[in-house]
Amino acid sequence: MEVERELRHAATDGELRLYYQPQIDTASGEMIGAEALIRWQHPKHGLLSPDTFIPLAEESGLINTISDWVLENACRQLKIWRDNGSEMKMAVNLSSKDIQLEDFRQKISNLIDKYEISPQSLELEITESTLMENPEALESDLNALRKMGLTLAIDDFGSGFSSLNYLKRLPVDVLKIDRMFIRDIDRDENDKAIVSGVVALAKSMGLSTVAEGVETPQQLSFLKSAGCAQCQGNLFSYPLDEDALIGFLIRQYERPLIS
């Protein structure tokens, strides 16, 4: 109850932070976007990861307020990138409770107009497990967002009960391969087969793929050979705050991440 009370005031008290994990084009090594990741700068407990407070936000009904804060600040940052000549995209995680709000599409439209960003530069991610809870209810909402020009991604693909029937029906653009399949692809033949199969499936359906949790050159080498389009993980960079991200971009231009 105490943490919930503190969380209710975190946004208005300026305690929430956005960090950005670079997303890298596997072929060129260029940073083409970033995933916005929320952190809570707790006055007593320091910087907290979302795993420690997002479940509570879901249970207590605070998730929509937090998502509004994330979307607002992610779009603000995207505006800064665009004004400085960058064509990078921004990926933002959402819950099904966000997307199903009656005014959600209007919120997105208002943010696009307010910050003068293109809808194509904003990618909305929803986890596979969340999507499978009620895919029929989400289908029309996702179709409406797709018509607005937004990019839609299934996060943690393969971690839940994948349904190819719904994958065929739902208007998604990107499959993000869950890190549990990436972790051992340099030595586990089953993981290699799964990742190769997901990449091939995505290509055949006209979808892009992003590998999460890439941490070793061996993992990257396999993903390149498999044809995975994009990667993100600690091999390239830990999540960075706004200032550190600028330094990362400068270093990238001086020396490519992938040769």
Side-chain angles (χ1 to χ4, degrees), residues 15-16 62-63 81 94 181 243:
E15 296 173 3
L16 298 183
L62 292 171
I63 190 63
W81 292 347
L94 296 174
F181 299 116
D243 292 335

Side-chain angles (χ1 to χ4, degrees), residues 57-94:
E58 292 269 8
E59 292 174 11
S60 62
L62 292 171
I63 190 63
N64 297 135
T65 300
I66 291 176
S67 294
D68 286 348
W69 183 91
V70 171
L71 280 166
E72 177 83 29
N73 285 275
C75 289
R76 178 191 60 81
Q77 182 62 49
L78 187 55
K79 166 72 170 173
I80 294 173
W81 292 347
R82 295 277 159 160
D83 285 349
N84 284 278
S86 173
E87 295 298 319
M88 291 193 301
K89 62 182 176 67
M90 179 76 78
V92 179
N93 292 282
L94 296 174

